[in-house]
Amino acid sequence: MTVHVVSASAGTGKTHRLTGEVSGALARGEARPEGVVAITFTRKAAAELESRIRTDLVAAGRADLAARVRDGYLGTVHSVCERLLREHALEAGHSPFLEPVAEGQREKVFGEALAAVLAGREARIEPIAARFELEDWERGPLRRIVELARENGLDGPALRAAGDRSLASLVALLPPVAATGEAYRERLAAAAAGAERRLAALDRPGKAAAARREAVAELVRLLRRPGLPPWAAQLRPARQRWASVEAPLVAELLEAIDGHLACAPFRADLEELGREVFGVAADALDAYARAKQAARVVDFQDMLALAARLLEDPRVAASLAGKLDLVVVDEFQDTSPMQLAVVSALAGIAPRSVWVGDRKQAIFGFQGSDPVLMGEAMRNALGGGDPEFLSSSWRSRPPLVAFTSELFARVLAPLGFSDREVRIATPPERPDPPAMADVPVLECWRWEGQGEPHAVADGVARLLAEAPPVRERETAAVRPLERRDVAVLARRRADCRAVAASLAARGIPARIERSGLSATPEAIVLRSALALVADPSDGVAAMDVSYLAGSGAADPDAWLSGRLAEAARIRAERARAASEGVAPPPEPLPFAAEPRV
């Protein structure tokens, strides 16, 4: 296996490097278009890579090769796996028309399997989950465990074993049990009552101080009830940012709260919840596999597992060895363990493989990726050698590149990232234009009084009014800042909407993601109208247009009764024609009498 690993930070010409690798190999005759496997993270990235390769080949006078680029295996890892499985269906033992089920159908099949497994077991899990305030444990932690198991190729028994190891390693981190529930409760109640009295006597002003006092007061109220309060509620006082003058007043309470780790009921809840959730997840995984087998369907994760097993078949590997010349993998850091198994198998078959990515970006955990896994995979692929580093930034201004390099180098060094992986620099041939010499690359906006969305909107308005110079990415021309140059990044969609509303109040338009737009009546009418233009006999489309844009919206009962009467009349006429042995009358187009249709 020969793998060339390219470590490329954002903005260092990763796509250019990848394109050059493929087009160069094709132009030199080292690879055939049909023998190229190019795996990208998204379909959009695959289309862009294909376009750039073809453009380079045409520019080099090799239009013949450019015309054959689409014959190669270019696409996402799922689409490449689907094609491999289709081409080797007999060896894999399945239909050549294998196609993963849609997400909605997959969710339905898994939901039914999970419901069957959960029946009667919620009674054991729900009370414990409530004490940890895990109200959405079924759709949250449980499903996340199942998805992670599938991304790592685990079946039910393997997941149960992993759950046991996980729970054992967690318990090993905790102190030994040193208190009964009653003893812990008495100590906690006394400490909470004392902290509440002392904080009330201090009577520190301000909303933040009041919120901190309320966290303690809530715990006192809960401790007046029988039994122990929910564990999450007990921890709220410990999660507050206590002021220096308050810290001595709550020190005893915080120490008492720390005792929950050595409390027998806490340990029992933790262990039972872990066993039950992992047990349900393992059973659901097995039930889901049986349900898919019975329905003769697969999902996207199955495509990876099937392809990985297929590539282990010596007959398939021998067949592909004569076909594949080059394997390139884009955004390598975002490969999950199962995807890594596929690309590693392909690297063992093709004469040359190039993996391009940035191990730092694996910290985001896309598709189950992990920086430790990526590091081990790179070391194994390189066989002790060093990767190629792309260290010239072609995207940003030199001072900003220098700042971020210094920042991330210091932050990531303790996590095992070398300077060569992190530090990048702007090449000398791309300096700041003279017109931007005095324009700062970084500002810190602070606000007081008003909320963050209004403060951000004010900052954007001020920035647009000042209109500092910016440099065009493609032409390098310098021009004043415009609205289209400004992006606001927020943590949640609700924050995005709040900032957009604040911008709109200042007359500044903004574009934000419109989740659920396709389900609105306006979008349904538009989609159905287009479908009706394409096919006037489309009854569902005609029904949507008639109901939402015509008489149906005004009087639904009359609209439905009229349609049912019309359908009955048409059936009766056709039945009469059949009984008389004559040709049936032509069936009218659906809702033809509706003006909007």
Side-chain angles (χ1 to χ4, degrees):
M1 180 172 71
T2 303
V3 178
H4 185 72
V5 178
V6 180
S7 178
S9 297
T12 56
K14 171 178 61 68
T15 305
H16 177 78
R17 176 70 175 79
L18 203 62
T19 302
E21 187 73 41
V22 177
S23 57
L26 294 175
R28 292 189 299 270
E30 298 170 359
R32 299 158 292 178
E34 302 82 5
V36 172
V37 179
I39 294 175
T40 61
F41 190 60
T42 63
R43 288 191 292 268
K44 181 180 178 181
E48 181 184 359
L49 180 62
E50 177 194 309
S51 176
R52 290 194 181 195
I53 293 170
R54 297 179 71 191
T55 300
D56 284 0
L57 290 172
V58 170
R62 297 304 308 269
D64 57 324
L65 294 175
R68 293 161 53 197
V69 165
R70 289 179 178 171
D71 296 331
Y73 298 79
L74 272 70
T76 64
V77 66
H78 293 100
S79 65
V80 170
C81 288
E82 184 176 354
R83 178 174 168 184
L84 289 170
L85 290 168
R86 186 171 64 249
E87 292 177 349
H88 299 274
L90 296 181
E91 293 90 334
H94 58 67
S95 167
F97 303 105
L98 187 70
E99 185 176 345
V101 296
E103 180 60 25
Q105 179 67 13
R106 186 199 75 84
E107 182 65 23
K108 179 176 182 293
V109 174
F110 178 77
E112 291 173 351
L114 178 60
V117 167
L118 267 178
R121 297 167 77 169
E122 303 101 318
R124 294 197 298 272
I125 299 176
E126 289 286 359
I128 307 175
R131 290 195 284 275
F132 283 100
E133 292 189 0
L134 291 173
E135 298 176 357
D136 202 22
W137 62 271
E138 178 187 331
R139 299 196 62 84
L142 175 64
R143 295 199 178 210
R144 182 61 179 148
I145 290 172
V146 172
E147 291 303 320
L148 284 171
R150 302 193 67 230
E151 288 169 359
N152 285 272
L154 303 182
D155 58 9
L159 179 55
R160 290 185 190 88
D164 291 340
R165 291 194 300 272
S166 175
L167 188 58
S169 63
L170 174 61
V171 170
L173 296 173
L174 302 177
V177 174
T180 64
E182 187 57 34
Y184 168 72
R185 186 182 185 282
E186 289 179 2
R187 182 187 177 195
L188 183 65
E196 183 183 33
R197 287 193 303 270
R198 289 188 289 272
L199 289 171
L202 179 64
D203 196 21
R204 187 176 172 85
K207 290 184 178 179
R212 293 192 291 269
R213 287 196 300 272
E214 175 56 29
V216 175
E218 179 195 20
L219 179 57
V220 171
R221 290 193 296 270
L222 290 172
L223 284 165
R224 294 191 183 113
R225 304 173 185 174
L228 282 167
W231 302 111
Q234 296 178 39
L235 291 174
R236 284 195 193 104
R239 291 173 176 165
Q240 304 299 315
R241 287 187 170 185
W242 295 102
S244 57
V245 70
E246 298 168 330
L249 309 182
V250 296
E252 183 183 356
L253 172 60
L254 301 186
E255 184 180 350
I257 291 172
D258 281 343
H260 79 281
L261 296 173
C263 174
F266 174 79
R267 190 68 56 86
D269 276 354
L270 186 67
E271 294 186 23
E272 186 173 359
L273 183 64
R275 282 192 298 268
E276 288 294 334
V277 172
F278 268 97
V280 170
D283 291 344
L285 198 62
D286 288 340
Y288 179 48
R290 291 192 297 269
K292 286 185 296 181
Q293 186 175 17
R296 297 185 178 182
V297 298
V298 297
D299 60 21
F300 284 107
Q301 202 65 39
D302 294 326
M303 302 287 284
L304 298 175
L306 289 170
R309 286 200 295 269
L310 176 71
L311 294 171
E312 293 173 354
D313 188 321
R315 297 169 300 167
V316 174
S319 172
L320 288 174
K323 294 175 60 178
L324 302 185
D325 302 319
L326 174 65
V327 176
V328 296
V329 182
D330 190 16
E331 303 290 5
F332 169 65
Q333 77 279 349
D334 290 328
T335 52
S336 68
M338 285 304 303
Q339 293 172 350
L340 179 60
V342 171
V343 299
S344 296
L346 289 170
I349 295 172
R352 177 172 167 79
S353 290
V354 180
W355 295 350
V356 181
D358 181 11
R359 189 168 69 99
K360 301 187 297 296
Q361 295 183 43
I363 61 175
F364 295 112
F366 291 136
Q367 297 192 359
S369 62
D370 179 81
V372 176
L373 174 66
M374 293 302 101
E376 291 299 320
M378 288 169 57
R379 279 189 285 274
N380 181 64
L382 291 167
D386 292 326
E388 174 188 351
F389 292 96
L390 300 184
S391 55
S392 293
S393 174
W394 302 92
R395 182 177 296 172
S396 302
R397 299 175 56 195
L400 184 59
V401 172
F403 169 79
T404 54
S405 288
E406 183 68 23
L407 174 66
F408 289 123
R410 295 191 186 192
V411 171
L412 294 175
L415 302 177
F417 289 88
S418 67
D419 260 22
R420 295 191 68 188
E421 287 182 277
V422 181
R423 290 189 186 275
I424 56 178
T426 307
E429 58 266 34
R430 193 174 170 82
D432 251 358
M436 301 183 68
D438 297 327
V439 179
V441 297
L442 185 70
E443 294 183 9
C444 181
W445 294 354
R446 301 181 183 275
W447 72 89
E448 293 181 4
Q450 59 182 341
E452 183 177 2
H454 292 293
V456 171
D458 280 347
V460 171
R462 187 173 63 252
L463 192 65
L464 292 172
E466 295 171 356
V470 297
R471 181 174 57 188
E472 288 278 6
R473 180 176 178 181
E474 300 298 333
T475 66
V478 176
R479 57 167 175 79
L481 177 86
E482 300 175 7
R483 286 199 301 256
R484 61 190 174 98
D485 301 312
V486 179
V488 177
L489 305 185
R491 203 164 184 79
R492 302 171 302 168
R493 289 178 182 169
D495 299 332
C496 292
R497 289 193 291 269
V499 172
S502 296
L503 288 168
R506 290 159 177 79
I508 303 173
R511 292 187 295 179
I512 61 173
E513 180 183 351
R514 303 283 186 179
S515 58
L517 181 63
S518 62
T520 62
E522 295 86 354
I524 294 172
V525 168
L526 177 59
R527 187 175 64 245
S528 298
L530 291 171
L532 201 55
V533 170
D535 180 9
S537 65
D538 188 333
V540 174
M543 177 189 68
D544 287 340
V545 172
S546 174
Y547 182 80
L548 293 172
S551 58
D555 190 351
D557 292 337
W559 172 84
L560 179 59
S561 299
R563 179 56 185 164
L564 292 175
E566 181 186 9
R569 178 181 58 77
I570 294 172
R571 284 196 300 270
E573 290 178 355
R574 297 179 72 84
R576 184 168 56 253
S579 65
E580 295 174 356
V582 298
E587 186 168 346
L589 292 175
F591 297 95
E594 172 63 60
R596 292 291 178 90
V597 174

